[in-house]
Amino acid sequence: MRAYCGALDTHLAPANPKLMMMVLTIRTRVWRATRREVIVAATNPKAMLLFAAFLPQFLSSNAVDDGSLLVLAAAYIGIEAVSAVAYTVAGGLIGRTDLSTRAHRYLDGITGTAFVGLGGYLATTQRP
């Protein structure tokens, strides 16, 4: 994306300053959202609990020496980043649509029902 925006910088600056300002505004918003996500993810107690209590159960006793914990941590951070981007894009797309209040309520009802249903399923699932 940086190369693409750099190409826009050089080609659009003299020709279209309004478009150039829009590109810079988008770039600023992306970096602001990224910084915010990193801070939230780094201070998330769930993530700390995951790294301190849950992940070590799946590692060998010499995991610190062979880098297994780093691989698991990198995988977790990668998945977290992809899901954060997906939620951001989905929220942006939904936010841009001109939905009526009724449609927003319908969407809220669907997602709420899905979460309650999944919670009920998890609560009643028999574990081995």
Side-chain angles (χ1 to χ4, degrees), residues 38-101:
V38 167
I39 291 169
V40 168
T43 59
N44 185 356
K46 179 183 70 175
M48 292 178 199
L49 183 63
L50 179 82
F51 283 113
F54 185 67
L55 287 182
Q57 298 176 29
F58 302 103
L59 299 173
S60 63
S61 59
N62 60 351
V64 175
D65 297 334
D66 66 7
S68 299
L69 185 59
L70 291 176
V71 171
L72 279 176
Y76 174 79
I77 291 169
I79 292 168
E80 178 79 22
V82 168
S83 64
V85 168
Y87 283 127
T88 303
V89 169
L93 291 174
I94 291 171
R96 280 193 208 131
T97 59
D98 193 23
L99 294 177
S100 66
T101 304

Side-chain angles (χ1 to χ4, degrees), residues 2-26:
R2 183 174 287 260
Y4 178 72
C5 289
L8 284 175
D9 291 351
T10 58
H11 295 296
L12 297 177
N16 194 344
K18 188 174 183 178
L19 186 58
M20 181 64 190
M21 286 303 297
M22 191 170 75
V23 168
L24 291 175
T25 301
I26 290 170

